[in-house]
Amino acid sequence: MLNNIRILSELRKLFNEKQLADISAVVLRGEGSIGERKLALQKILKDFDWEPYRVQLGRLLAEQLPAEELVPETYADWKPIVHEAVTYIGGHLSIKRLLPKLLDQMLIPEDTPLEKRMVQFVAQMPSLQKLGQVIARNRNLQPGLRAELTQLENDIHDVSYSEIRDQIEQRLSSRLATGQVKLDDALYAEASVCALLRFSWLNPETEQREQGVFKVVKPHIYEHFDEEMQLLQGLAAHLDQQQAHVLDDVSLKETFGEIAGLLKQELDTRSEQTHLREAHARHADITGLRIPDVIVPLCSDSITAMTYEPGIKATLAYRDDDKQREQLARQIVEALVAIPLFSADKEVLFHADPHAGNLYVDQQARHLILYDWALTGRLGIEERRRIILLFLGLYLRDEGMLVHTLVGLAQNKLSQRRQTEIKSHVQNFIYGLNVYQLPTMNDLLTLTDDMLLLGVRFSPAMMLFRKVFLTLDGVLHDISDNTAMEKILGDHVLRHCRQELYGINGARCLQPDFKLPLSGSDTLSLAMSAQWYFYRTGMQAGNQMLRWFQPD
C-alpha cells in the first residue's frame, strides 16, 4: 500500500481533483479483478496528455522498480547504471505501452517481490526478455532473481491462445483443411519472440495422422520491434554519456547491437526453417540426439511447422538420478560443443542459443532434443583449429602459443603495441593460475573477456560460440555440479581417437564424422610444448613464491 500511496502522491501533481479521486478509488479499494481495475484506470486516463510528463514517469517507474537492489554486490558499481537504465526506459517507451505497465505495477499486490515485478514489466518487450535470458544463468545473481529470469526461457505468458490460433488460421487458411489439421485448445509453450501450439495432421506421404508443433511469431513483436531497436540505441548513447568508470572498457553500443541482431535472426522464420532442416539431416545418424524436422507444407513467413518431439526440460530431467544427470550433462556438451568443433566439414552449423528452454530430454529413450534453431552460427575449419589450440595452449600454460592463437583469432589487425599488451597480459594471467590445478573452461572465458577489454575483436561466429560456452556454464551447473566441460571434451576426443587407432568401442562413438582440425605442424608444436610443461609450471610456482615473500 505504501508504494501506491507514494505513486498517488506524485500523480496529484498531474491530475485534477476528480481524476485523482477516481484513480484513488480504483487503486486503493481493490474491488474487482486486476484486469477490470486496469480497464477502469485506462478509461479514466485515456484522454490525458502524458507527453509533457515523460521525465516524471521515468523517475516514478524507477522508484517503483528499484532494479539496482537486485544487482549482486559483486557488481555494486553497476547499480547506478541499472537505475539510470530503468529511468531512461520509463521516460522513452511509448505512452501506449508504458501506461499499462505502470498500471500493472500499481495494481499487483504490494508484497509482490521485486524480481516478480521486474519480470512482469518486461512482458511483451523481447529485447529486455532476451537480455534477461542471457544473464539468467549467472551464478552470482540472487537465487530468487535467477529463478524468475529462468522463467523467461519458456514460461513467458504475454500472448493469448486466441491470438496465436488466429495467426495460424489467417496465414495458412486452406492448407489447414488440406492437411486435416486439428489444433490443441491451449498453448504448448511461450518464449520471448514466439509461441508454440501443438497440432495433429494427416501426412500425405505416410497416410498417417502425426503430431506436430507450430512455432508462431507473436503479433506484437512486429508491432513493437522498431521501437525497441530505437530504445536500445538511445539507451546505449544515454549511458555512454554518464561517464561511469565501469563503462570505460565496455561498448554498450556493440552489446545492445548484438541483442538487436539476435532478435532480427529470430524474426527470420524462413532462415530458421532452413537451419532446422540442415541440422535435422546433419545429426540424423548421431546416437541419443534428436532434432525436429520441418513440415514444409504447413510453413509460412511467420510460422514454422515441425515434428513434435515429446520431452521434459533438461534442468528438470532425472531429478532423483545423479548419475543420469551427469550423463545428460555429457550429452549436452558433446552435442553443442564437441560435435561442431570436431566435425570433418569445412564449415559447420552450430546451435547458438542453448538455454535450458531449448534443451529437452526424452527420459524413456534417454535422448537429448535440441529445439529452436533460429539463432545459429557457422564456424570454418580454421576458426575451430584456433579455438582448440587456444584451450590446449592454456592447458599447457604455453604463453607463446596462446599469444599467437589470440592474435590469429582477432578480426581486426592488431598493432605491435597491442600485441605487446596481449603478451604481457597473457604472461600475468598464466602466472596467476593455480599451479596445482589444471586450467578450466572458465579460465579460458576469463582470458577471452580480458582480450575484449583490451580492444581485441573476434569474428561474429567466434563471439556466438563463446556465448554458447557462457550459457552452457550456467545450465550445466543447474544439472550437475560434477560436470567439467573441458573433461567431457577431452573424453570425447580420446574416445574417437581410440576408435580410429584400434577400432574398438565403436558402439559408444557419438560422432560418425569425427576429425581433429589440427595440422601436422600443430601436432608437432603441441608435442614440443608438452615437453616443457613441467619446466613452465616450475617457473610459475617459483614466481608465485617470490610474490608471497615480497612486501606489499
Side-chain angles (χ1 to χ4, degrees):
M1 188 66 70
L2 292 177
N3 282 339
N4 286 338
I5 292 175
R6 186 165 63 249
I7 292 175
L8 291 172
S9 176
E10 290 295 321
L11 293 179
R12 186 182 299 277
K13 305 172 186 177
L14 308 181
F15 301 115
N16 59 43
E17 290 186 8
K18 183 180 184 311
Q19 288 173 321
L20 189 61
D22 291 341
I23 294 170
S24 300
V26 174
V27 173
L28 300 179
R29 288 179 187 172
E31 298 176 355
S33 67
I34 290 180
E36 291 171 342
R37 294 160 66 199
K38 185 176 176 180
L39 288 175
L41 284 176
Q42 288 177 325
K43 185 176 180 180
I44 296 170
L45 303 173
K46 66 177 182 178
D47 296 325
F48 189 78
D49 182 13
W50 290 95
E51 291 299 331
Y53 305 100
R54 278 188 167 276
V55 175
Q56 290 96 316
L57 288 175
R59 290 174 180 167
L60 189 60
L61 182 67
E63 289 180 10
Q64 185 74 358
L65 291 173
E68 65 277 7
E69 294 180 8
L70 298 175
V71 177
E73 287 304 317
T74 308
Y75 308 118
D77 290 345
W78 284 86
K79 291 190 175 187
I81 301 298
V82 172
H83 177 85
E84 190 64 30
V86 175
T87 303
Y88 180 90
I89 292 171
H92 291 79
L93 194 64
S94 63
I95 293 300
K96 69 177 181 179
R97 298 181 70 193
L98 176 62
L99 186 56
K101 292 181 179 298
L102 192 56
L103 297 180
D104 281 338
Q105 296 300 320
M106 293 172 63
L107 294 174
I108 58 178
E110 284 284 310
D111 58 353
T112 301
L114 179 56
E115 54 267 23
K116 287 186 178 292
R117 288 180 175 272
M118 287 300 303
V119 169
Q120 182 158 352
F121 174 71
V122 302
Q124 296 198 356
M125 295 190 71
S127 58
L128 298 186
Q129 290 172 351
K130 182 61 64 177
L131 183 60
Q133 289 175 6
V134 171
I135 66 176
R137 297 293 169 179
N138 188 318
R139 301 184 195 178
N140 292 318
L141 295 180
Q142 297 174 11
L145 178 59
R146 280 196 71 200
E148 289 300 321
L149 291 178
T150 301
Q151 301 302 308
L152 297 176
E153 293 172 347
N154 57 3
D155 289 323
I156 296 171
H157 302 290
D158 60 12
V159 70
S160 68
Y161 165 78
S162 60
E163 289 177 289
I164 298 302
R165 182 199 60 209
D166 291 347
Q167 286 287 306
I168 294 171
E169 292 176 346
Q170 291 171 14
R171 298 283 181 177
L172 300 180
S173 59
S174 62
R175 283 183 280 173
L176 296 178
T178 302
Q180 299 184 36
V181 174
K182 295 181 180 179
L183 301 176
D184 274 12
D185 55 7
L187 293 179
Y188 179 54
E190 284 186 55
S192 55
V193 172
C194 300
L196 302 181
L197 179 60
R198 287 185 56 187
F199 67 92
S200 66
W201 74 301
L202 186 64
N203 187 336
E205 295 182 1
T206 64
E207 298 184 349
Q208 298 291 322
R209 179 158 288 277
E210 298 176 0
Q211 298 295 312
V213 178
F214 283 123
K215 181 180 178 183
V216 186
V217 177
K218 298 178 182 179
H220 66 257
I221 298 297
Y222 293 114
E223 181 183 354
H224 302 319
F225 182 79
D226 289 341
E227 179 188 1
E228 293 206 22
M229 296 305 97
Q230 294 175 8
L231 190 67
L232 286 179
Q233 293 173 3
L235 178 59
H238 175 74
L239 293 179
D240 281 342
Q241 295 174 359
Q242 301 305 303
Q243 298 181 338
H245 72 277
V246 294
L247 298 177
D248 288 345
D249 297 312
V250 177
S251 175
L252 289 177
K253 185 177 180 180
E254 284 189 14
T255 301
F256 290 161
E258 289 176 10
I259 294 174
L262 298 181
L263 287 172
K264 286 180 181 178
Q265 283 195 51
E266 292 206 39
L267 289 177
D268 191 349
T269 304
R270 289 299 189 188
S271 290
E272 179 184 10
Q273 292 162 13
T274 300
H275 298 157
L276 192 55
R277 295 180 72 182
E278 179 181 345
H280 177 81
R282 170 71 178 76
H283 297 84
D285 297 328
I286 296 176
T287 304
L289 182 61
R290 298 211 310 261
I291 294 172
D293 198 7
V294 178
I295 304 175
V296 177
L298 297 178
C299 290
S300 76
D301 291 340
S302 61
I303 298 173
T304 296
M306 68 191 90
T307 55
Y308 171 63
E309 301 289 346
I312 185 174
K313 194 173 178 180
T315 49
L316 302 177
Y318 310 119
R319 279 300 182 105
D320 300 319
D321 191 337
D322 291 342
K323 185 176 180 179
Q324 193 57 50
R325 286 177 74 84
E326 288 183 29
Q327 178 59 30
L328 172 59
R330 176 180 294 276
Q331 281 182 283
I332 291 172
V333 174
E334 289 185 320
L336 292 163
V337 180
I339 288 176
L341 273 182
F342 304 112
S343 169
D345 296 339
K346 290 184 178 180
E347 187 177 72
V348 64
L349 179 79
F350 66 90
H351 192 298
D353 196 18
H355 63 71
N358 291 333
L359 309 177
Y360 271 60
V361 177
D362 181 340
Q363 294 186 102
Q364 185 174 0
R366 297 188 177 180
H367 287 174
L368 174 66
I369 305 165
L370 300 184
Y371 281 119
D372 196 350
W373 287 77
L375 183 58
T376 62
R378 293 184 184 273
L379 282 174
I381 194 166
E382 181 60 24
E383 280 181 304
R384 285 180 277 141
R385 168 183 167 266
R386 292 186 185 278
I387 291 171
I388 293 168
L389 288 175
L390 187 63
F391 183 73
L392 291 176
L394 181 62
Y395 197 82
L396 294 169
R397 303 169 194 257
D398 189 326
E399 174 189 331
M401 184 179 294
L402 280 172
V403 172
H404 179 75
T405 306
L406 287 167
V407 171
L409 279 170
Q411 189 177 29
N412 48 332
K413 187 176 181 180
L414 302 177
S415 65
Q416 192 60 47
R417 180 180 65 82
R418 184 54 51 85
Q419 291 186 42
T420 302
E421 290 177 351
I422 292 174
K423 182 177 180 179
S424 175
H425 185 88
V426 167
Q427 184 181 63
N428 290 330
F429 186 84
I430 290 176
Y431 281 160
L433 294 173
N434 190 325
V435 179
Y436 306 103
Q437 291 181 354
L438 293 173
T440 66
M441 193 60 67
N442 281 332
D443 292 321
L444 181 64
L445 292 173
T446 300
L447 180 60
T448 55
D449 283 345
D450 294 346
M451 292 301 103
L452 292 173
L453 294 178
L454 283 176
V456 178
R457 291 291 172 261
F458 302 114
S459 70
M462 171 67 179
M463 293 300 293
L464 271 179
F465 203 62
R466 176 178 170 274
K467 174 183 176 291
V468 171
F469 284 116
L470 287 168
T471 307
L472 283 183
D473 177 64
V475 174
L476 295 175
H477 176 73
D478 288 344
I479 293 175
S480 174
D481 287 332
N482 299 321
T483 301
M485 202 182 305
E486 58 279 359
K487 183 180 184 303
I488 295 173
L489 292 175
D491 290 345
H492 182 89
V493 172
L494 289 174
R495 190 189 341 159
H496 285 83
C497 287
R498 182 170 54 187
Q499 164 67 14
E500 289 186 8
L501 287 172
Y502 305 111
I504 61 174
N505 207 25
R508 294 181 59 205
C509 283
L510 176 73
Q511 187 172 358
D513 68 337
F514 174 87
K515 183 179 180 180
L516 275 173
L518 300 177
S519 64
S521 60
D522 291 333
T523 305
L524 181 61
S525 296
L526 289 168
M528 294 288 290
S529 178
Q531 294 181 26
W532 291 91
Y533 175 77
F534 291 106
Y535 171 77
R536 285 193 294 268
T537 53
M539 291 290 292
Q540 178 187 346
N543 181 274
Q544 289 182 355
M545 289 183 65
L546 287 174
R547 291 184 180 183
W548 291 339
F549 288 107
Q550 286 178 347
D552 294 335

